[in-house]
Amino acid sequence: MKIKSIYSVAWDAPEARGFFGKVPVEPKTKPRRPSWIESGPVANPVTRYPRYSAYRPLWTPTWGDFIVVAEAEDGTKGFAFANHGKPVAAMVDEYFGLRLAGENAMAIEKCYDMMVRMCAPFGATGIASYAVSGIDLALWDLKGKLLDRPVYELLGGPSKDELFCYSTGGDTDWYMELGFKATKLPCPFAMADGLDGLKKNVELVAKTREMVGDGVELMLDCWMAFDTEYAVRLAEELRPYKLKWMEECLRSEDFDAHAQLRQRAPWQTLATGEHWFTTYPFQHAASRHIVDILQPDIQWVGGLTPIVKICAIAEATSMTVIPHGGGNTPYGQHACYALPVIPWTECFVPTPPGVPPSEAPRLPGMAMPKNGRMIPSDAPGFGIDMDVGKLPRFFR
Ligand SMILES: [Mg+2]
């Protein structure tokens, strides 16, 4: 079976309303208080500039999401959600899609390799990697549909009975009520907030540890906001609160800083990788052991194909992989279910305190965590029940 065409469609068309967790709908239950998301701040690389420091959405891209469709000669359609709309959809429709048409629809390794090599003139990281990811995931979905099997079976089948999910966000009391046994806080302050910010970071972690007790794992997400010195200092102050890991303390490109942090805080488990693209940075980090836990994002790193390779790197270097946002997409759920080196699945809780997550809009057919546990859909492909044939092309 050959690939007939690969192209982008718009998910935010009226035909798609309610498909994805970003279409606002009025929940039935009234929230007890607004979500942490609405009350910032969250430390980030731009925190030093007051004009943009209050919230990440003040400066992060607004291109939005879209859907990549991979259509086979017989009309079967695989599809996947992709990020960063216009520039990424242009790469899908005007570059990779045209060059992959006519290839064997089952030859995903070949298609991935072709795409990464065709990135050579402009680089395979960043925006290009979002396009490669969307196409790779659409091809996996297509293969599952052609073979009538869920993607996790194409990877070898389940490696665990269910997924152990951890929550991410600042409404810790709410996540405990929902039954999570591990939770990750966003770090609010960075260097520009001075000693006062450092003290507030420590107070937040101390207060949260007291709330959850010693029977719950606690992590801290630092979203590339620190330099080495600040990360070491904060890690030292937080040592009494037994963090399971500190995440993404440094700018993703600065490998020397990662090596320094490893050396200066040898006792602190370090996790990173959501802003690393392709397999190379993971191989670099694993071979030098500059972090402990690799966190590729399946929609950003290049898709499921490189995730499998990164898991092999981790196996061979006694490391752990916990994909970024793994529980929030069917793609991450299938990878976490099938690959033994992945012990945990990250879940961003989509509702404010008091509103059951089942009331949030979501992809039809996608699993949701219950009591901090989850089993992915066993429907063919990634199991998302949507007729993408009804959606308009992204570039109309
Ligand atoms: Mg993170």
Side-chain angles (χ1 to χ4, degrees):
M1 182 73 69
K2 285 187 177 164
I3 298 170
K4 185 175 145 203
S5 56
I6 293 175
Y7 52 90
S8 307
V9 297
W11 74 272
D12 54 353
E15 299 90 321
R17 282 202 83 75
F19 275 169
F20 204 46
K22 292 184 179 176
V23 181
V25 293
E26 205 56 51
K28 280 180 240 139
T29 313
K30 214 171 134 20
R32 265 177 240 152
R33 62 170 194 264
S35 159
W36 67 282
I37 284 262
E38 292 170 48
S39 53
V42 175
N44 68 72
V46 186
T47 298
R48 64 166 63 166
Y49 300 108
R51 190 177 160 199
Y52 295 113
S53 64
Y55 298 99
R56 278 182 281 179
L58 287 177
W59 62 270
T60 46
T62 52
W63 289 309
D65 297 334
F66 69 102
I67 295 172
V68 179
V69 180
E71 190 171 341
E73 280 178 321
D74 70 350
T76 309
K77 292 182 183 72
F79 64 91
F81 280 83
N83 304 142
H84 297 321
K86 262 188 213 163
V88 176
M91 299 203 81
V92 170
D93 285 17
E94 296 168 12
Y95 192 63
F96 298 119
L98 299 173
R99 284 154 183 81
L100 293 185
E103 291 297 324
N104 183 336
M106 297 296 181
I108 300 180
E109 281 281 346
K110 181 187 175 190
C111 290
Y112 173 77
D113 189 53
M114 285 173 73
M115 286 192 285
V116 172
R117 287 169 182 276
M118 285 175 181
C119 287
F122 42 78
T125 63
I127 287 293
S129 192
Y130 290 87
V132 173
S133 304
I135 294 174
D136 182 78
L137 293 170
L139 287 173
W140 277 100
D141 188 52
L142 175 62
K143 189 172 194 170
K145 285 170 176 161
L146 289 171
L147 297 174
D148 198 28
R149 306 307 315 162
V151 169
Y152 63 74
E153 284 195 4
L154 307 184
L155 293 175
S159 66
K160 40 193 83 78
D161 293 337
E162 54 187 1
L163 302 177
F164 174 89
C165 303
Y166 80 84
S167 59
T168 292
D171 294 316
T172 310
D173 53 338
W174 173 227
Y175 313 143
M176 295 303 101
E177 245 179 86
L178 292 173
F180 289 98
K181 293 288 177 232
T183 191
K184 186 171 76 191
L185 280 171
C187 190
F189 302 104
M191 290 84 76
D193 305 301
L195 264 183
D196 187 48
L198 185 77
K199 197 169 147 237
K200 285 183 187 156
N201 282 341
V202 176
E203 282 167 2
L204 172 69
V205 173
K207 194 180 79 184
T208 309
R209 171 54 78 197
E210 204 187 326
M211 179 201 303
V212 301
D214 281 338
V216 167
E217 292 279 20
L218 183 58
M219 295 77 78
L220 187 69
D221 188 355
C222 311
W223 219 74
M224 306 171 281
F226 304 159
D227 57 20
T228 314
E229 197 258 334
Y230 191 92
V232 172
R233 205 163 169 200
L234 182 61
E236 277 171 350
E237 299 259 0
L238 293 180
R239 209 166 169 177
Y241 308 108
K242 293 178 276 196
L243 288 176
K244 163 87 171 160
W245 73 67
M246 275 177 75
E247 175 171 322
E248 219 187 11
C249 295
L250 307 163
R251 293 273 311 285
S252 57
E253 298 92 345
D254 193 346
F255 282 95
D256 281 350
H258 283 81
Q260 274 177 26
L261 177 57
R262 171 74 298 157
Q263 211 180 12
R264 290 182 61 184
W267 39 266
Q268 176 64 61
T269 299
L270 299 170
T272 201
E274 69 187 73
H275 294 99
W276 282 345
F277 307 98
T278 75
T279 52
Y280 298 107
F282 296 93
Q283 166 63 19
H284 179 96
S287 63
R288 289 158 183 79
H289 281 274
I290 54 176
V291 295
D292 305 285
I293 298 169
L294 303 174
Q295 301 175 303
D297 185 301
I298 198 165
Q299 287 183 295
W300 307 349
V301 74
L304 177 55
T305 304
I307 292 272
V308 175
K309 296 174 198 293
I310 290 161
C311 285
I313 291 168
E315 293 260 12
T317 44
S318 297
M319 294 179 80
T320 298
V321 179
I322 302 179
H324 173 250
N328 293 108
T329 67
Y331 322 115
Q333 292 177 5
H334 279 246
C336 293
Y337 200 41
L339 298 162
V341 77
I342 303 177
W344 287 12
T345 301
E346 179 176 18
C347 286
F348 191 91
V349 176
T351 51
V355 180
S358 57
E359 290 184 22
R362 62 173 147 152
L363 290 177
M366 189 176 89
M368 294 278 283
K370 243 190 203 155
N371 261 326
R373 306 271 167 174
M374 171 160 63
I375 298 177
S377 158
D378 61 359
F382 287 110
I384 298 309
D385 183 19
M386 274 171 50
D387 183 2
V388 291
K390 286 188 180 156
L391 299 178
R393 294 290 180 116
F394 186 89
F395 295 107
R396 281 164 258 184

